[in-house]
Amino acid sequence: MKAAAKATSNIAFIKYWGKKDEALRIPANSSISMNLSNAYSITSVELSKNLKKDQVYLNSKKAEEDEYTRIVKHLDLIRALAKSNLFAKVKSRNSFPKGTGIASSASGFAALTLAATKAFKLNLSQKKLSILARLGSGSACRSIPPGFVEWVKGADSKTSYAKTLYPPSYWDILDIVAIVGESKKEISSTKGHSLTGTSPFFNKRIADLPQKIKDIKKALKFKDFTKLGTIIEEEALNMHAVMLTQRPPLIYFNSSSLSIIREIYEMRKKGIEAYFTLDAGPNVHIICKAPDAPKIKKILKNQKIVKKILVNKPGNGTEII
Amino acid sequence: MKAAAKATSNIAFIKYWGKKDEALRIPANSSISMNLSNAYSITSVELSKNLKKDQVYLNSKKAEEDEYTRIVKHLDLIRALAKSNLFAKVKSRNSFPKGTGIASSASGFAALTLAATKAFKLNLSQKKLSILARLGSGSACRSIPPGFVEWVKGADSKTSYAKTLYPPSYWDILDIVAIVGESKKEISSTKGHSLTGTSPFFNKRIADLPQKIKDIKKALKFKDFTKLGTIIEEEALNMHAVMLTQRPPLIYFNSSSLSIIREIYEMRKKGIEAYFTLDAGPNVHIICKAPDAPKIKKILKNQKIVKKILVNKPGNGTEII
């Protein structure tokens, strides 16, 4: 009747931006990501006959209405699978701030999916968990399997899920997140996703992605860090170029993000091989080789605009705790 | 044997980015601009039999080698037209800082073209001056005719020139430039122009421009400021999306530019109808109706990052002084 799960968030090397099916969150393209060992959600789900409705606490506070509604909808899916009508008390907390480009919905819905299915005594395969997590939040499906992950776009709900390409131990690279802001997004990424078609560049982006995915999988296979990093940066700017040209335009990076990007260019000039990526938020993710981390952290600590530094190894998948 | 000319710079509403012919500076697309009354170059050209080579002073300093070479090349064209072998002493000064997105090469080459042709006793038509100015710096051709201008891309050098759509008095709108930086560009716009083809989005941009040009000409015709401003902002972001996705990526705006853009969004929420555009530099051009200027200037003056404010009416064409 009670279960708790821990799920890491993930950073996309090839991004998920735009959906083929809005309601089922089937993406317009496959994507590639790495789980983030230190950016996680821990979520507990407790069922009780005494509850008359679901109760949801996020970071020790009652969930706001829109969050509550989305989580109850996800619990409804799981109740239907379990043929149960029990309500749940859900408590979830994140190791990182919300709404800043670290996908709290990814780790949150991955952890919720595993904890809730366990509480309802469902025993689902990793594939089925990934599909179910996707229905809660697209990128959550990538947080179910461990390590370096591919979310295969699929043709329908049953074939759109994520699987491990390589385990966390495969490659000793890091994602150092320079946290520069905690402000809420003016336009949520869910809303932004639904407007990708308004960018004149979206179709071209989608047409080019299969080749880019082939290339990055090759870079992963041969541990070609320069190739990997180059593709990661181009891909981030490609997605943000689409965002900039949507109606309304989405400018998710801010002044601090740009300063960090310029700092990364300087690092490379000094021989520190680091690359950036940005999600739908201002924080800059710095992808680097593990031995370079101390130098990079030192440089970031000298930047006043950096409020916090989060160092992530390739993370595990979602696990019961 | 001596002549001086004054040329205003111009701000493009529809941008020039990418060339069909590199050497002749024939653009990939037609563009639309407004001359800027307060951003100008004054250039004098004095011929002398005593000179053994051209002398060039920019803002009271000897021109650097690359600037010198480019200006001498332009003088060579004019010497050839005039069938003369006299050398010139060129002095030019700008009313605004160089290399920051206000096109100093536009006003500079427009003024040089008129002053030098006059000094060499050539009497060229506005069309011929525009073609000649284009050979020095593409956007300079738009600074030759007055007011609101269209640079028709043309099919070859003889048909690629700019002409007035409406005189300066036609519409009482302003370009308020928020000058946030004076740093030199890491990559010049000439170099950036030659790499537009490396963006996956460049061809789509070019394919969409004829319709956009039709739309903005209609907005000018009917003085539809909302339509004009909306197209101007979309167009700026469209060009910068192409720049972001070139190899190497070009990020011409900086942290201050982004802060001003957010400030403009706030202005609109408060009912001040202002729109932004950005050239290949960090300064933000704020297009507004004249009666709103005092409110906008007051808001900008409260921004520490704004180093200078330059208010421009629709400007004249290039004139002998």
Side-chain angles (χ1 to χ4, degrees), chain A residues 247-320:
Chain A
R247 291 181 196 180
L250 301 178
I251 309 181
Y252 280 128
F253 47 82
N254 66 19
S255 53
S256 304
S257 324
L258 280 184
S259 301
I260 305 287
I261 287 172
R262 293 199 189 273
E263 201 55 56
I264 292 168
Y265 289 155
E266 289 306 309
M267 288 182 200
R268 288 218 289 273
K269 282 182 195 163
K270 289 179 209 152
I272 303 171
E273 200 175 3
Y275 298 92
F276 68 83
T277 184
L278 291 159
D279 274 351
N283 295 328
V284 182
H285 293 251
I286 303 169
I287 310 299
C288 66
K289 291 186 265 190
D292 286 328
K295 280 177 282 185
I296 295 170
K297 278 166 71 179
K298 199 178 161 192
I299 292 169
L300 292 177
K301 276 179 184 160
N302 285 330
Q303 307 286 314
K304 270 187 201 159
I305 49 174
V306 177
K307 292 179 183 156
K308 207 179 156 184
I309 299 168
L310 201 63
V311 180
N312 297 284
K313 297 179 188 178
N316 294 329
T318 306
E319 295 168 332
I320 286 294

Side-chain angles (χ1 to χ4, degrees), chain A residues 186 200-202 204-205 208 233-234 237-242 244-247 249 251-256 258-259 261-262 265-266 269 276, chain B residues 186 200-202 204-205 208 233-234 237-242 244-247 249 251-256 258-259 261-262 265-266 269 276:
Chain A
E186 286 169 40
F201 302 143
F202 181 66
K204 183 63 164 69
R205 164 173 168 73
D208 289 344
E233 276 193 4
E234 274 189 22
L237 292 170
N238 186 295
M239 177 180 73
H240 282 273
V242 168
L244 275 181
T245 50
Q246 291 187 199
R247 291 181 196 180
I251 309 181
Y252 280 128
F253 47 82
N254 66 19
S255 53
S256 304
L258 280 184
S259 301
I261 287 172
R262 293 199 189 273
Y265 289 155
E266 289 306 309
K269 282 182 195 163
F276 68 83
Chain B
E186 286 168 41
F201 301 143
F202 181 65
K204 182 63 164 69
R205 165 174 167 73
D208 288 345
E233 275 194 5
E234 273 188 23
L237 292 170
N238 186 295
M239 178 180 72
H240 282 275
V242 167
L244 275 182
T245 50
Q246 289 186 202
R247 292 182 195 180
I251 309 182
Y252 280 128
F253 47 83
N254 67 17
S255 53
S256 304
L258 280 185
S259 302
I261 287 172
R262 292 196 189 275
Y265 289 154
E266 289 305 309
K269 282 183 194 163
F276 68 82

Side-chain angles (χ1 to χ4, degrees), chain A residues 72-84:
Chain A
V72 167
K73 200 176 153 198
H74 201 58
L75 290 170
D76 285 343
L77 279 180
I78 295 165
R79 268 190 284 264
L81 280 177
K83 300 188 172 68
S84 164

Side-chain angles (χ1 to χ4, degrees), chain A residues 35-110:
Chain A
N35 284 345
L36 302 179
S37 64
N38 271 322
Y40 54 84
S41 299
I42 289 177
T43 304
S44 67
V45 175
E46 185 173 11
L47 310 181
S48 163
K49 287 174 186 163
N50 299 327
L51 291 170
K52 290 188 176 140
K53 53 180 259 185
D54 294 314
Q55 291 182 357
V56 180
Y57 296 86
L58 302 178
N59 297 311
S60 309
K61 272 189 271 183
K62 263 197 157 176
E64 286 174 35
E65 201 186 327
D66 54 340
E67 298 166 323
Y68 179 81
T69 307
R70 195 168 164 191
I71 287 164
V72 167
K73 200 176 153 198
H74 201 58
L75 290 170
D76 285 343
L77 279 180
I78 295 165
R79 268 190 284 264
L81 280 177
K83 300 188 172 68
S84 164
N85 52 18
L86 286 178
F87 288 109
K89 186 175 190 174
V90 175
K91 289 183 186 172
S92 188
R93 63 182 177 82
N94 301 324
S95 66
F96 54 88
K98 269 202 311 177
T100 54
I102 299 185
S104 64
S105 62
S107 54
F109 276 94

Side-chain angles (χ1 to χ4, degrees), chain A residues 208-226:
Chain A
D208 289 344
L209 275 172
Q211 184 59 47
K212 212 183 266 185
I213 289 171
K214 263 187 205 163
D215 292 343
I216 203 167
K217 283 168 94 167
K218 212 169 142 187
L220 280 166
K221 186 177 177 185
F222 294 106
K223 297 186 182 176
D224 181 341
F225 189 69
T226 305

